[in-house]
Amino acid sequence: MIKKNKSKIKPYPEDGTAEYSHLQPIVDFLIENGNKSVNQYIWGNNRTGYFCHLQKDIDFEGLKREFDFPESIKFNEEKQSIDCFNTYTLIKKFSSD
């Protein structure tokens, strides 16, 4: 079996792109594998930064198989979140609790 090279997630977005653009491949992967945004949009923003709220649990194992992540991107499997500490961009399973 040939092992596929993992895609690298960059620690920062490219100059001139949205603050969340370096995390877009993560969201694309999750949506392609059955997750959905809880909103009519994928990315929103508030006073703390950009966010993507998802309906279902995050497939952390799938993400780890597919991507290499920089130290600045932190997973919290218990809280179902992915946080970029460089841009304060957040991907999380939305809970109304």
Coordinates of all heavy atoms in Angstrom, one line a residue:
M1 N 0.8 -1.2 0.0 CA 0.0 0.0 0.0 C 0.9 1.2 0.0 O 1.8 1.4 0.8 CB -0.9 0.0 1.2 CG -1.9 1.1 1.3 SD -3.0 0.8 2.7 CE -2.8 2.4 3.5
I2 N 0.6 2.2 -0.9 CA 1.3 3.4 -1.0 C 0.7 4.4 0.0 O -0.5 4.7 0.0 CB 1.3 4.0 -2.4 CG1 2.0 3.0 -3.3 CG2 2.0 5.3 -2.5 CD1 1.9 3.3 -4.8
K3 N 1.6 5.0 0.9 CA 1.1 6.0 1.8 C 1.1 7.3 1.2 O 2.1 7.8 0.6 CB 2.0 6.0 3.1 CG 1.5 6.9 4.1 CD 2.1 6.5 5.5 CE 1.9 7.6 6.5 NZ 0.6 7.7 7.0
K4 N 0.0 8.0 1.2 CA -0.2 9.3 0.7 C 0.5 10.4 1.6 O 0.5 10.3 2.8 CB -1.7 9.6 0.5 CG -2.1 11.0 0.3 CD -3.6 11.0 0.3 CE -4.0 12.2 1.1 NZ -4.8 13.2 0.6
N5 N 1.1 11.3 0.9 CA 1.7 12.4 1.7 C 0.6 13.3 2.3 O -0.4 13.6 1.7 CB 2.6 13.3 0.8 CG 3.9 12.6 0.4 OD1 4.4 11.7 1.1 ND2 4.5 13.1 -0.6
K6 N 0.8 13.7 3.6 CA -0.1 14.5 4.2 C 0.0 15.9 3.7 O 1.1 16.4 3.4 CB 0.1 14.5 5.7 CG -0.2 13.3 6.4 CD 0.1 13.4 7.9 CE -0.1 12.2 8.7 NZ 0.0 12.4 10.1
S7 N -1.1 16.6 3.7 CA -1.1 18.1 3.3 C -0.7 18.8 4.5 O -1.1 18.5 5.6 CB -2.5 18.5 2.9 OG -2.9 17.8 1.7
K8 N 0.1 19.9 4.3 CA 0.5 20.7 5.4 C -0.4 21.9 5.6 O -0.8 22.6 4.7 CB 1.9 21.3 5.2 CG 3.0 20.3 5.4 CD 4.3 21.0 5.5 CE 5.5 20.0 5.8 NZ 5.4 19.3 7.0
I9 N -0.9 22.1 6.8 CA -1.6 23.3 7.2 C -0.6 24.3 7.7 O 0.2 24.0 8.5 CB -2.7 23.0 8.3 CG1 -3.6 21.9 7.9 CG2 -3.4 24.2 8.7 CD1 -4.5 22.2 6.7
K10 N -0.7 25.5 7.1 CA 0.2 26.6 7.4 C -0.2 27.2 8.8 O -1.3 27.3 9.1 CB 0.3 27.6 6.3 CG 0.8 27.0 5.0 CD 0.8 28.0 3.9 CE 1.4 27.3 2.7 NZ 1.5 28.2 1.5
P11 N 0.8 27.8 9.5 CA 0.5 28.4 10.7 C -0.2 29.8 10.6 O -0.9 30.2 11.5 CB 1.9 28.6 11.4 CG 2.9 28.5 10.3 CD 2.3 27.7 9.2
Y12 N 0.0 30.4 9.4 CA -0.7 31.7 9.1 C -1.3 31.7 7.7 O -0.8 30.9 6.8 CB 0.4 32.8 9.1 CG 0.9 33.2 10.5 CD1 2.1 32.6 10.9 CD2 0.2 34.0 11.3 CE1 2.6 32.9 12.2 CE2 0.7 34.3 12.6 CZ 1.9 33.8 13.0 OH 2.4 34.1 14.2
P13 N -2.3 32.5 7.5 CA -2.8 32.6 6.1 C -1.8 33.3 5.2 O -1.0 34.0 5.7 CB -4.1 33.4 6.3 CG -3.9 34.2 7.6 CD -3.0 33.3 8.4
E14 N -2.0 33.1 3.9 CA -1.2 33.9 2.9 C -1.5 35.3 3.0 O -2.6 35.7 3.3 CB -1.5 33.4 1.5 CG -1.1 31.9 1.3 CD 0.4 31.7 1.2 OE1 1.1 32.6 0.7 OE2 0.8 30.6 1.6
D15 N -0.5 36.2 2.8 CA -0.8 37.6 2.7 C -1.9 38.0 1.8 O -2.0 37.4 0.7 CB 0.5 38.4 2.3 CG 1.5 38.4 3.4 OD1 1.2 38.2 4.6 OD2 2.7 38.7 3.1
G16 N -2.8 38.9 2.2 CA -3.9 39.3 1.3 C -5.1 38.4 1.3 O -6.0 38.6 0.6
T17 N -5.0 37.3 2.1 CA -6.2 36.4 2.2 C -6.9 36.5 3.5 O -6.3 37.1 4.5 CB -5.8 34.9 1.9 OG1 -4.9 34.5 3.0 CG2 -5.1 34.7 0.6
A18 N -8.0 36.0 3.7 CA -8.8 36.0 4.9 C -8.0 35.4 6.1 O -7.3 34.4 5.8 CB -10.2 35.4 4.7
E19 N -8.3 35.8 7.3 CA -7.6 35.3 8.5 C -7.8 33.8 8.6 O -7.0 33.1 9.3 CB -8.1 36.0 9.7 CG -7.6 37.4 9.8 CD -6.2 37.5 10.1 OE1 -5.7 36.9 11.1 OE2 -5.5 38.2 9.4
Y20 N -8.9 33.2 8.1 CA -9.2 31.8 8.2 C -8.7 31.0 7.1 O -8.9 29.8 7.1 CB -10.7 31.6 8.4 CG -11.5 32.2 7.3 CD1 -11.7 31.5 6.1 CD2 -12.1 33.5 7.4 CE1 -12.4 32.0 5.1 CE2 -12.9 34.0 6.4 CZ -13.0 33.3 5.2 OH -13.8 33.8 4.2
S21 N -8.2 31.6 6.0 CA -7.9 30.8 4.8 C -7.0 29.6 4.9 O -7.2 28.6 4.2 CB -7.4 31.8 3.7 OG -6.2 32.3 4.1
H22 N -6.1 29.7 5.8 CA -5.2 28.5 6.0 C -5.9 27.4 6.7 O -5.4 26.2 6.6 CB -4.0 29.0 6.9 CG -4.3 29.4 8.3 ND1 -5.1 30.4 8.6 CD2 -3.8 29.0 9.4 CE1 -5.2 30.6 9.9 NE2 -4.4 29.7 10.4
L23 N -7.1 27.6 7.3 CA -7.9 26.5 7.9 C -9.0 26.0 7.0 O -9.6 25.0 7.3 CB -8.5 27.0 9.2 CG -7.5 27.5 10.3 CD1 -8.3 27.9 11.5 CD2 -6.5 26.5 10.6
Q24 N -9.1 26.6 5.8 CA -10.2 26.2 4.9 C -10.1 24.7 4.5 O -11.1 24.0 4.4 CB -10.2 27.1 3.7 CG -11.4 26.9 2.8 CD -12.7 27.2 3.4 OE1 -12.9 28.2 4.0 NE2 -13.7 26.2 3.4
P25 N -8.8 24.2 4.2 CA -8.7 22.8 3.9 C -9.3 21.9 5.0 O -9.9 20.8 4.7 CB -7.3 22.6 3.7 CG -6.7 23.9 3.4 CD -7.5 24.9 4.1
I26 N -9.2 22.3 6.2 CA -9.7 21.5 7.3 C -11.3 21.4 7.2 O -11.9 20.3 7.3 CB -9.3 22.0 8.7 CG1 -7.8 22.0 8.8 CG2 -10.0 21.3 9.8 CD1 -7.3 22.9 10.0
V27 N -11.9 22.6 7.1 CA -13.3 22.7 7.0 C -13.8 21.9 5.7 O -14.8 21.2 5.8 CB -13.8 24.1 7.0 CG1 -15.3 24.3 6.7 CG2 -13.4 24.8 8.3
D28 N -13.1 22.1 4.6 CA -13.5 21.4 3.4 C -13.5 19.9 3.6 O -14.4 19.2 3.2 CB -12.5 21.7 2.2 CG -12.7 23.2 1.7 OD1 -13.7 23.8 2.0 OD2 -11.7 23.6 1.0
F29 N -12.4 19.4 4.2 CA -12.3 17.9 4.5 C -13.5 17.5 5.4 O -14.1 16.5 5.1 CB -11.0 17.6 5.3 CG -10.9 16.2 5.7 CD1 -10.5 15.2 4.9 CD2 -11.2 15.9 7.0 CE1 -10.4 13.9 5.3 CE2 -11.1 14.6 7.5 CZ -10.7 13.6 6.6
L30 N -13.8 18.2 6.4 CA -14.9 17.8 7.3 C -16.3 17.9 6.6 O -17.1 16.9 6.8 CB -14.9 18.8 8.6 CG -13.7 18.6 9.5 CD1 -13.7 19.7 10.5 CD2 -13.7 17.3 10.1
I31 N -16.5 18.9 5.8 CA -17.8 19.0 5.1 C -17.9 17.9 4.0 O -18.9 17.2 3.9 CB -18.0 20.4 4.5 CG1 -18.2 21.3 5.6 CG2 -19.1 20.4 3.5 CD1 -18.3 22.8 5.3
E32 N -16.8 17.6 3.3 CA -16.8 16.5 2.3 C -17.0 15.2 2.9 O -17.5 14.2 2.3 CB -15.4 16.5 1.6 CG -15.2 17.6 0.6 CD -13.8 17.8 0.1 OE1 -13.0 16.9 0.4 OE2 -13.5 18.8 -0.5
N33 N -16.7 15.0 4.2 CA -16.9 13.8 4.9 C -18.2 13.8 5.8 O -18.2 13.0 6.8 CB -15.7 13.4 5.7 CG -14.6 13.0 4.8 OD1 -14.5 11.8 4.4 ND2 -13.7 13.9 4.4
G34 N -19.1 14.6 5.5 CA -20.4 14.5 6.1 C -20.8 15.6 7.1 O -21.9 15.6 7.6
N35 N -19.9 16.4 7.5 CA -20.3 17.5 8.5 C -21.0 18.6 7.7 O -20.9 18.7 6.5 CB -19.1 18.0 9.3 CG -19.4 18.3 10.7 OD1 -20.4 18.8 11.0 ND2 -18.5 17.9 11.6
K36 N -21.6 19.6 8.5 CA -22.2 20.7 7.9 C -22.1 21.9 8.8 O -22.0 21.7 10.0 CB -23.7 20.4 7.7 CG -24.1 19.4 6.7 CD -25.6 19.2 6.6 CE -26.3 20.4 6.2 NZ -27.8 20.2 6.0
S37 N -22.2 23.1 8.3 CA -22.2 24.3 9.1 C -23.6 24.4 9.7 O -24.6 24.0 9.1 CB -21.9 25.5 8.2 OG -22.1 26.7 9.0
V38 N -23.7 24.9 10.9 CA -25.0 25.2 11.5 C -25.6 26.4 11.0 O -26.8 26.7 11.2 CB -24.9 25.2 13.1 CG1 -24.4 23.9 13.7 CG2 -24.1 26.4 13.6
N39 N -24.8 27.2 10.3 CA -25.3 28.5 9.8 C -25.5 28.4 8.3 O -25.1 27.4 7.7 CB -24.2 29.6 10.1 CG -24.0 29.7 11.6 OD1 -24.9 30.0 12.3 ND2 -22.7 29.5 12.0
Q40 N -26.0 29.5 7.7 CA -26.1 29.5 6.2 C -24.8 29.9 5.6 O -24.8 30.0 4.4 CB -27.3 30.5 5.8 CG -28.6 30.0 6.3 CD -29.7 31.0 5.9 OE1 -29.4 32.1 5.5 NE2 -30.9 30.5 5.9
Y41 N -23.8 30.2 6.3 CA -22.5 30.5 5.9 C -21.5 29.6 6.5 O -21.8 28.9 7.5 CB -22.2 32.0 6.2 CG -22.4 32.3 7.7 CD1 -21.5 32.1 8.7 CD2 -23.6 32.9 8.0 CE1 -21.7 32.4 10.0 CE2 -23.9 33.2 9.4 CZ -22.9 32.9 10.3 OH -23.2 33.2 11.6
I42 N -20.3 29.5 6.0 CA -19.3 28.6 6.5 C -18.5 29.4 7.6 O -18.3 28.9 8.7 CB -18.3 28.1 5.5 CG1 -19.0 27.3 4.4 CG2 -17.2 27.3 6.1 CD1 -19.7 26.0 4.9
W43 N -18.0 30.6 7.3 CA -17.2 31.4 8.3 C -18.0 32.6 8.7 O -18.6 33.3 7.9 CB -15.9 31.8 7.6 CG -15.0 30.7 7.3 CD1 -14.8 30.1 6.1 CD2 -14.2 30.0 8.3 NE1 -13.9 29.1 6.3 CE2 -13.5 29.0 7.6 CE3 -13.9 30.2 9.6 CZ2 -12.6 28.2 8.2 CZ3 -13.0 29.3 10.3 CH2 -12.3 28.3 9.5
G44 N -18.0 32.9 10.0 CA -18.5 34.1 10.5 C -17.5 34.8 11.4 O -16.4 34.2 11.6
N45 N -17.8 36.0 11.8 CA -16.8 36.6 12.8 C -17.5 37.4 13.8 O -18.7 37.8 13.6 CB -15.7 37.4 12.0 CG -16.3 38.7 11.4 OD1 -17.5 38.7 11.0 ND2 -15.5 39.6 11.2
N46 N -16.9 37.5 14.9 CA -17.4 38.3 16.1 C -16.2 39.0 16.7 O -15.1 39.0 16.1 CB -18.1 37.4 17.1 CG -17.3 36.3 17.6 OD1 -16.1 36.3 17.6 ND2 -18.0 35.2 18.0
R47 N -16.3 39.5 17.9 CA -15.3 40.3 18.5 C -14.0 39.5 18.8 O -12.9 40.1 19.0 CB -15.8 41.0 19.7 CG -16.3 40.1 20.8 CD -16.8 40.9 22.0 NE -17.5 40.0 22.9 CZ -16.9 39.2 23.7 NH1 -15.6 39.0 23.7 NH2 -17.7 38.4 24.5
T48 N -14.1 38.2 18.9 CA -13.0 37.4 19.2 C -12.3 36.8 17.9 O -11.2 36.2 18.0 CB -13.3 36.2 20.1 OG1 -14.3 35.4 19.4 CG2 -13.9 36.7 21.4
G49 N -12.9 36.9 16.8 CA -12.2 36.5 15.5 C -13.2 35.7 14.7 O -14.4 35.7 14.9
Y50 N -12.6 35.0 13.7 CA -13.4 34.1 12.8 C -13.8 32.8 13.4 O -13.0 32.3 14.2 CB -12.7 33.9 11.5 CG -12.7 35.1 10.6 CD1 -11.7 36.1 10.6 CD2 -13.8 35.4 9.8 CE1 -11.7 37.2 9.8 CE2 -13.8 36.5 8.9 CZ -12.8 37.4 9.0 OH -12.8 38.5 8.2
F51 N -14.9 32.3 13.0 CA -15.4 31.0 13.6 C -16.1 30.2 12.5 O -16.7 30.8 11.6 CB -16.3 31.1 14.8 CG -17.5 31.9 14.5 CD1 -18.7 31.3 14.0 CD2 -17.6 33.3 14.7 CE1 -19.8 32.0 13.7 CE2 -18.7 34.0 14.4 CZ -19.9 33.4 13.9
C52 N -16.1 28.9 12.6 CA -16.9 28.0 11.8 C -17.5 27.0 12.8 O -16.9 26.3 13.5 CB -16.0 27.2 10.8 SG -16.9 25.9 9.9
H53 N -18.9 27.1 12.8 CA -19.6 26.2 13.8 C -20.2 25.0 13.0 O -21.0 25.3 12.0 CB -20.7 27.0 14.4 CG -20.2 28.0 15.4 ND1 -21.0 29.1 15.8 CD2 -19.1 28.1 16.1 CE1 -20.3 29.8 16.7 NE2 -19.1 29.2 16.9
L54 N -19.9 23.8 13.4 CA -20.3 22.6 12.7 C -21.4 21.9 13.5 O -21.5 22.0 14.7 CB -19.1 21.7 12.5 CG -18.0 22.3 11.7 CD1 -16.7 21.4 11.7 CD2 -18.4 22.5 10.3
Q55 N -22.2 21.1 12.8 CA -23.3 20.3 13.4 C -22.8 19.1 14.1 O -23.4 18.7 15.1 CB -24.3 20.0 12.3 CG -25.1 21.1 11.8 CD -26.2 20.7 10.7 OE1 -26.2 19.5 10.4 NE2 -26.9 21.6 10.3
K56 N -21.9 18.4 13.5 CA -21.5 17.1 14.0 C -20.1 17.1 14.7 O -19.3 18.0 14.5 CB -21.5 16.1 12.8 CG -22.8 15.9 12.2 CD -22.7 15.0 11.0 CE -24.1 14.8 10.3 NZ -23.9 14.0 9.1
D57 N -19.8 16.0 15.3 CA -18.5 15.8 15.9 C -17.4 16.0 14.9 O -17.6 15.6 13.7 CB -18.3 14.4 16.6 CG -19.1 14.3 17.9 OD1 -19.6 15.3 18.4 OD2 -19.1 13.2 18.4
I58 N -16.3 16.5 15.3 CA -15.1 16.7 14.4 C -14.4 15.4 14.3 O -14.1 14.7 15.3 CB -14.2 17.8 15.0 CG1 -14.9 19.2 14.9 CG2 -12.9 17.9 14.2 CD1 -14.2 20.3 15.6
D59 N -14.0 15.0 13.1 CA -13.3 13.8 12.8 C -11.8 14.0 13.0 O -11.1 14.2 12.1 CB -13.6 13.3 11.4 CG -12.8 12.0 11.0 OD1 -12.2 11.4 11.9 OD2 -12.9 11.6 9.9
F60 N -11.4 14.0 14.3 CA -10.0 14.3 14.6 C -9.0 13.3 14.0 O -8.0 13.6 13.5 CB -9.8 14.5 16.1 CG -10.4 15.7 16.7 CD1 -11.6 15.6 17.4 CD2 -9.8 16.9 16.5 CE1 -12.2 16.8 17.9 CE2 -10.4 18.1 17.0 CZ -11.6 18.0 17.7
E61 N -9.4 12.0 14.1 CA -8.6 10.9 13.5 C -8.4 11.1 12.0 O -7.3 10.9 11.5 CB -9.2 9.5 13.9 CG -9.1 9.2 15.4 CD -7.7 9.4 16.0 OE1 -6.7 8.9 15.4 OE2 -7.6 10.0 17.0
G62 N -9.5 11.4 11.3 CA -9.4 11.7 9.9 C -8.5 12.8 9.6 O -7.7 12.8 8.6
L63 N -8.6 13.9 10.4 CA -7.8 15.1 10.2 C -6.3 14.8 10.4 O -5.4 15.2 9.6 CB -8.2 16.2 11.1 CG -9.5 16.9 10.8 CD1 -9.9 17.8 11.9 CD2 -9.5 17.6 9.4
K64 N -6.0 14.0 11.4 CA -4.6 13.6 11.7 C -4.0 12.7 10.6 O -2.8 12.8 10.4 CB -4.5 12.9 13.1 CG -4.8 13.8 14.2 CD -4.9 13.0 15.5 CE -5.4 13.9 16.7 NZ -5.6 13.1 17.9
R65 N -4.8 11.9 10.0 CA -4.4 11.1 8.9 C -4.1 11.9 7.6 O -3.2 11.6 6.8 CB -5.4 10.0 8.5 CG -5.4 8.8 9.4 CD -6.2 7.7 8.8 NE -7.6 8.0 8.5 CZ -8.6 8.0 9.3 NH1 -8.5 7.7 10.6 NH2 -9.8 8.4 8.9
E66 N -4.9 12.9 7.4 CA -4.9 13.7 6.2 C -3.9 14.9 6.2 O -3.4 15.3 5.2 CB -6.3 14.3 6.0 CG -6.6 14.7 4.6 CD -6.7 13.6 3.6 OE1 -6.9 12.5 3.9 OE2 -6.6 14.0 2.4
F67 N -3.7 15.5 7.4 CA -2.9 16.8 7.5 C -1.8 16.7 8.5 O -1.9 16.0 9.5 CB -3.9 17.9 7.9 CG -5.0 18.1 6.9 CD1 -6.3 17.7 7.2 CD2 -4.8 18.8 5.7 CE1 -7.3 17.9 6.3 CE2 -5.8 19.0 4.8 CZ -7.1 18.6 5.1
D68 N -0.8 17.5 8.3 CA 0.2 17.9 9.3 C -0.1 19.3 9.8 O -0.4 20.2 9.0 CB 1.6 17.9 8.6 CG 2.2 16.5 8.5 OD1 2.0 15.7 9.3 OD2 3.0 16.3 7.5
F69 N -0.1 19.4 11.1 CA -0.5 20.7 11.7 C 0.6 21.4 12.4 O 1.4 20.7 13.0 CB -1.6 20.4 12.8 CG -2.9 20.0 12.1 CD1 -3.2 18.6 12.0 CD2 -3.9 20.9 11.7 CE1 -4.3 18.2 11.4 CE2 -5.1 20.4 11.2 CZ -5.3 19.1 11.0
P70 N 0.7 22.7 12.3 CA 1.7 23.4 13.1 C 1.4 23.4 14.5 O 0.2 23.2 14.9 CB 1.7 24.8 12.5 CG 0.3 25.0 12.0 CD -0.2 23.6 11.5
E71 N 2.4 23.8 15.4 CA 2.1 23.8 16.8 C 1.1 24.9 17.2 O 0.5 24.7 18.3 CB 3.5 24.2 17.5 CG 4.5 23.1 17.5 CD 4.0 21.9 18.4 OE1 3.5 22.1 19.5 OE2 4.2 20.8 17.9
S72 N 0.9 25.9 16.4 CA -0.1 26.9 16.7 C -1.5 26.5 16.6 O -2.4 27.3 17.0 CB 0.2 28.1 15.8 OG 0.1 27.8 14.4
I73 N -1.8 25.4 16.0 CA -3.2 24.9 15.9 C -3.4 23.8 16.9 O -2.7 22.8 16.9 CB -3.5 24.4 14.4 CG1 -3.4 25.6 13.5 CG2 -4.8 23.8 14.4 CD1 -3.6 25.3 12.0
K74 N -4.3 24.1 17.8 CA -4.6 23.2 18.9 C -5.9 22.5 18.8 O -6.9 23.1 18.5 CB -4.6 24.0 20.3 CG -3.3 24.8 20.5 CD -2.1 24.0 20.7 CE -0.9 24.8 21.0 NZ 0.3 24.2 20.9
F75 N -5.9 21.2 19.0 CA -7.1 20.3 19.1 C -7.6 20.2 20.5 O -6.8 20.0 21.4 CB -6.8 18.9 18.6 CG -6.6 18.8 17.1 CD1 -6.3 17.6 16.6 CD2 -6.7 19.9 16.2 CE1 -6.1 17.4 15.2 CE2 -6.5 19.7 14.9 CZ -6.2 18.5 14.3
N76 N -8.9 20.3 20.7 CA -9.5 19.9 22.0 C -10.6 19.0 21.7 O -11.7 19.4 21.3 CB -10.0 21.2 22.7 CG -10.5 20.9 24.1 OD1 -11.0 19.8 24.4 ND2 -10.3 21.8 25.0
E77 N -10.3 17.7 21.8 CA -11.3 16.7 21.4 C -12.5 16.7 22.3 O -13.6 16.4 21.9 CB -10.6 15.3 21.3 CG -9.6 15.3 20.1 CD -9.0 13.9 19.8 OE1 -9.7 12.9 19.9 OE2 -7.8 13.9 19.4
E78 N -12.2 16.9 23.6 CA -13.3 16.9 24.6 C -14.3 18.1 24.3 O -15.5 17.9 24.3 CB -12.8 17.1 26.0 CG -13.8 17.1 27.1 CD -13.2 17.2 28.5 OE1 -12.2 16.7 28.7 OE2 -13.9 17.9 29.3
K79 N -13.8 19.2 23.9 CA -14.7 20.4 23.6 C -15.0 20.5 22.2 O -15.7 21.4 21.7 CB -14.0 21.7 24.1 CG -13.9 21.8 25.6 CD -13.3 23.2 25.9 CE -13.3 23.3 27.4 NZ -12.7 24.6 27.8
Q80 N -14.5 19.5 21.4 CA -14.8 19.5 19.9 C -14.4 20.8 19.2 O -15.3 21.4 18.6 CB -16.3 19.1 19.7 CG -16.6 17.7 20.0 CD -16.0 16.8 18.9 OE1 -16.3 16.9 17.8 NE2 -15.2 15.8 19.4
S81 N -13.2 21.2 19.4 CA -12.7 22.4 18.8 C -11.3 22.3 18.2 O -10.5 21.5 18.7 CB -12.8 23.6 19.8 OG -11.9 23.4 20.9
I82 N -11.1 23.2 17.2 CA -9.8 23.4 16.6 C -9.5 24.9 16.7 O -10.3 25.7 16.2 CB -9.7 22.9 15.2 CG1 -10.1 21.4 15.2 CG2 -8.4 23.2 14.6 CD1 -10.3 20.9 13.8
D83 N -8.4 25.3 17.3 CA -8.2 26.7 17.6 C -6.8 27.1 17.0 O -5.8 26.4 17.3 CB -8.2 26.9 19.1 CG -8.6 28.3 19.5 OD1 -8.6 29.2 18.7 OD2 -9.0 28.4 20.7
C84 N -6.8 28.1 16.2 CA -5.5 28.7 15.7 C -5.1 29.8 16.7 O -5.8 30.8 16.7 CB -5.6 29.2 14.3 SG -4.1 30.0 13.7
F85 N -4.0 29.6 17.4 CA -3.5 30.5 18.3 C -2.8 31.7 17.7 O -2.5 32.7 18.4 CB -2.6 29.9 19.4 CG -3.4 29.2 20.5 CD1 -4.3 28.2 20.1 CD2 -3.2 29.5 21.8 CE1 -5.1 27.5 21.1 CE2 -4.0 28.8 22.8 CZ -4.9 27.9 22.4
N86 N -2.5 31.7 16.4 CA -1.9 32.8 15.7 C -3.0 33.8 15.2 O -2.7 35.0 15.3 CB -1.1 32.3 14.5 CG 0.1 31.6 14.9 OD1 0.7 31.8 16.0 ND2 0.7 30.8 14.0
T87 N -4.1 33.3 14.8 CA -5.1 34.2 14.2 C -6.4 34.2 15.0 O -7.3 35.0 14.7 CB -5.5 33.7 12.8 OG1 -6.1 32.4 12.8 CG2 -4.3 33.8 11.8
Y88 N -6.5 33.4 16.1 CA -7.7 33.4 16.9 C -8.9 32.9 16.1 O -10.0 33.3 16.4 CB -8.0 34.7 17.7 CG -6.7 35.1 18.4 CD1 -5.9 36.1 18.0 CD2 -6.4 34.4 19.6 CE1 -4.8 36.5 18.7 CE2 -5.2 34.8 20.3 CZ -4.4 35.8 19.8 OH -3.3 36.1 20.5
T89 N -8.7 32.1 15.2 CA -9.8 31.5 14.4 C -10.1 30.1 15.0 O -9.3 29.4 15.4 CB -9.3 31.3 12.9 OG1 -8.9 32.5 12.4 CG2 -10.3 30.7 12.0
L90 N -11.4 29.9 15.0 CA -12.0 28.7 15.7 C -12.9 27.9 14.8 O -13.8 28.4 14.2 CB -12.7 29.2 17.0 CG -13.4 28.1 17.8 CD1 -12.3 27.3 18.6 CD2 -14.3 28.7 18.8
I91 N -12.7 26.6 14.9 CA -13.6 25.6 14.2 C -14.1 24.8 15.4 O -13.3 24.2 16.2 CB -12.8 24.7 13.2 CG1 -12.2 25.5 12.1 CG2 -13.8 23.6 12.7 CD1 -11.2 24.7 11.3
K92 N -15.4 24.6 15.5 CA -16.0 23.8 16.6 C -17.3 23.3 16.3 O -18.1 23.8 15.5 CB -16.0 24.7 17.9 CG -17.0 25.8 17.9 CD -17.1 26.5 19.2 CE -18.0 25.8 20.1 NZ -18.2 26.4 21.4
K93 N -17.6 22.2 17.0 CA -19.0 21.7 17.0 C -19.8 22.6 17.8 O -19.5 22.9 19.0 CB -19.0 20.2 17.5 CG -20.4 19.7 17.6 CD -20.5 18.3 18.2 CE -21.9 17.8 18.3 NZ -22.0 16.6 19.1
F94 N -20.9 23.1 17.2 CA -21.7 24.1 17.9 C -22.7 23.3 18.8 O -23.3 22.3 18.5 CB -22.6 24.9 16.9 CG -23.4 25.9 17.6 CD1 -22.8 27.1 18.0 CD2 -24.7 25.7 17.8 CE1 -23.6 28.1 18.6 CE2 -25.5 26.7 18.4 CZ -24.9 27.9 18.8
S95 N -22.7 23.8 20.0 CA -23.6 23.3 21.1 C -24.3 24.5 21.7 O -23.7 25.5 22.0 CB -22.8 22.5 22.1 OG -23.6 22.2 23.2
S96 N -25.6 24.3 21.8 CA -26.4 25.4 22.4 C -26.4 25.3 24.0 O -27.1 26.1 24.6 CB -27.9 25.4 21.9 OG -28.4 24.1 22.2
D97 N -25.6 24.4 24.5 CA -25.5 24.3 26.0 C -24.9 25.5 26.6 O -24.0 26.0 26.2 CB -24.7 23.0 26.4 CG -25.3 21.8 25.8 OD1 -26.5 21.8 25.4 OD2 -24.6 20.8 25.8

